Amino acid sequence: MLPFIRITELYREGMFQKIYCKKGSVPEMEDKVAKIYKEFTFFKWKAALIMICFIIILSLGVSIFLGSPFLYKETIDFIYVWQPGWIIEKEYLIYVIVIISAIVASLMETWNIQRAIASVRNILYKECDADLFLEIADCGLKYVTNQSEHKNEKNKNKYKLAYTYFERFYVEALNARGRYVAALEYLENYWGSKRNTTIYRLLIQNTKLNMACEQEDKKAYDEVFNVAMQRIKKSKVMIVQRLILEEDYHGAIEILEAMKPRVCYEKVSQYWGFAKCYIKLGNYEKAKVYIDFILEYGNSCVAKEKAKILVQEIINGQVSTL
């Protein structure tokens, strides 16, 4: 059996709130899920087909200049002579053609997969719609699980990669919604893909750091940060979180100013850091600029919910400053 954890079983155990696809977004979600699923499961077949097509096209191109690739009959002074084609005379060319075709086919299919993945990730990264991102990840896990159950054991390995990506989306979405406890519970107890991977370590360490930051637990944050991967230790977002916990708001602002967000989700996270720092420094006017941006573009991300709470605390005079 595949090491897949059926999402329906988690719901029966009451570990996670069941998420239903919104009626208006069902076709769109099904299309995105099916597209990613097909890209992963038919990657080898499509790559092989593209490779064969390129071999034929390149061979025809070479034949224009070198003649027939196969053995052919030629007349010389009324005498029929069999001539070897360029495949025999220039054998190395067929190896060059095969290698070039294999590289092109792999690049084209890899690009198709990345494009399909980006179309889903952009729901969070560009639109900051963590709720829809979570729904698609949830539907994707169910879709791949249901598909794999109808196949023979020997064919099930091809579903693992698609399943792993949807698990990553699921955990990322839970983090984006601020549901750190649920994300950590899933990673520790219900993760169905391989655990001895960089991605798994990155997800679990990132989730633990987010949770410690949420709880303002500097000791717990340092315990995870000190043993974290170098990628996390070098992350400006994680460094900012640590400085805020240490109440070094000026230092955090310096790093935030050096950040260059590429997508809206990163900018919302950056602006939430600015807002927290300026609030603690008592500069409400400057904080308001960043909070307004978060409220307008934060969509369903946790930063928007926190910004709303922060605004209410400011109104009620419940915010403490240095």
Side-chain angles (χ1 to χ4, degrees):
M1 294 293 292
L2 271 176
F4 290 171
I5 303 297
R6 294 194 62 184
I7 302 303
T8 50
E9 293 175 1
L10 305 186
Y11 296 141
R12 291 193 200 106
E13 295 176 19
M15 296 308 303
F16 302 101
Q17 178 183 358
K18 191 162 186 177
I19 303 165
Y20 292 95
C21 299
K22 298 175 183 176
K23 290 183 179 180
S25 58
V26 167
E28 181 184 354
M29 283 192 287
E30 287 181 350
D31 288 344
K32 288 183 182 297
V33 167
K35 186 174 182 180
I36 292 180
Y37 171 79
K38 288 177 182 178
E39 288 294 344
F40 280 122
T41 53
F42 297 105
F43 170 80
K44 291 181 180 179
W45 289 106
K46 290 175 69 177
L49 183 61
I50 293 171
M51 180 178 170
I52 292 170
C53 291
F54 266 93
I55 288 173
I56 293 171
I57 292 169
L58 291 175
S59 296
L60 289 173
V62 172
S63 297
I64 292 172
F65 299 99
L66 300 180
S68 174
F70 308 110
L71 192 68
Y72 64 97
K73 188 185 291 186
E74 190 176 50
T75 304
I76 302 176
D77 292 334
F78 303 101
I79 300 173
Y80 290 107
V81 179
W82 286 99
Q83 298 284 1
W86 60 262
I87 286 180
I88 298 173
E89 287 188 326
K90 301 181 184 297
E91 185 181 353
Y92 68 91
L93 284 177
I94 195 63
Y95 294 111
V96 172
I97 288 172
V98 169
I99 291 171
I100 292 173
S101 299
I103 292 172
V104 171
S106 297
L107 290 175
M108 287 182 67
E109 273 308 292
T110 300
W111 182 77
N112 284 334
I113 287 176
Q114 292 303 318
R115 186 175 60 173
I117 292 170
S119 70
V120 175
R121 272 224 171 95
N122 285 341
I123 293 170
L124 176 64
Y125 290 172
K126 291 187 177 181
E127 300 172 21
C128 294
D129 195 342
D131 283 340
L132 181 56
F133 188 54
L134 183 58
E135 287 185 25
I136 290 179
D138 175 73
C139 291
L141 288 171
K142 294 175 187 174
Y143 186 88
V144 177
T145 301
N146 291 335
Q147 289 291 323
S148 68
E149 286 178 347
H150 300 295
K151 306 298 179 180
N152 296 327
E153 185 71 29
K154 63 180 181 180
N155 295 324
K156 286 186 176 180
N157 282 338
K158 67 182 182 180
Y159 302 103
K160 290 182 179 179
L161 188 56
Y163 190 85
T164 299
Y165 265 98
F166 282 117
E167 279 201 304
R168 287 171 59 179
F169 293 161
Y170 190 72
V171 174
E172 287 177 24
L174 289 173
N175 272 281
R177 286 294 295 120
R179 295 172 59 185
Y180 308 123
V181 175
L184 187 60
E185 183 116 32
Y186 184 87
L187 284 164
E188 291 181 338
N189 301 320
Y190 302 102
W191 182 264
S193 305
K194 291 182 180 179
R195 299 193 178 207
N196 58 338
T197 61
T198 301
I199 291 299
Y200 178 77
R201 289 176 57 205
L202 188 67
L203 287 171
I204 198 165
Q205 289 175 0
N206 185 63
T207 302
K208 287 180 178 179
L209 289 171
N210 286 335
M211 187 186 301
C213 184
E214 175 78 10
Q215 297 169 349
E216 297 185 353
D217 189 340
K218 184 179 179 301
K219 183 179 178 181
Y221 195 95
D222 287 341
E223 286 176 358
V224 178
F225 189 87
N226 291 334
V227 297
M229 300 166 59
Q230 286 301 314
R231 192 182 303 180
I232 286 180
K233 288 183 176 180
K234 292 179 180 179
S235 169
K236 288 184 173 66
V237 174
M238 298 306 172
I239 295 171
V240 166
Q241 286 184 349
R242 194 178 192 188
L243 290 172
I244 290 174
L245 288 174
E246 292 173 352
E247 298 184 355
D248 183 2
Y249 303 115
H250 292 289
I253 289 171
E254 286 182 13
I255 295 175
L256 285 166
E257 288 174 343
M259 291 172 63
K260 297 179 180 179
R262 297 164 296 178
V263 290
C264 187
Y265 181 64
E266 292 178 354
K267 194 165 187 176
V268 167
S269 299
Q270 179 195 31
Y271 277 27
W272 174 238
F274 275 126
K276 287 194 293 184
C277 289
Y278 283 117
I279 287 294
K280 288 294 183 180
L281 293 172
N283 192 338
Y284 295 140
E285 288 299 320
K286 207 158 189 176
K288 184 180 181 299
V289 176
Y290 298 110
I291 290 174
D292 287 343
F293 180 90
I294 295 168
L295 293 177
E296 184 174 355
Y297 297 104
N299 207 330
S300 57
C301 290
V302 65
K304 183 173 181 178
E305 292 183 6
K306 290 180 179 178
K308 288 179 179 178
I309 294 171
L310 184 59
V311 169
Q312 195 59 46
E313 288 177 350
I314 293 172
I315 294 172
N316 298 334
Q318 297 174 338
V319 177
S320 58
T321 58
L322 290 179

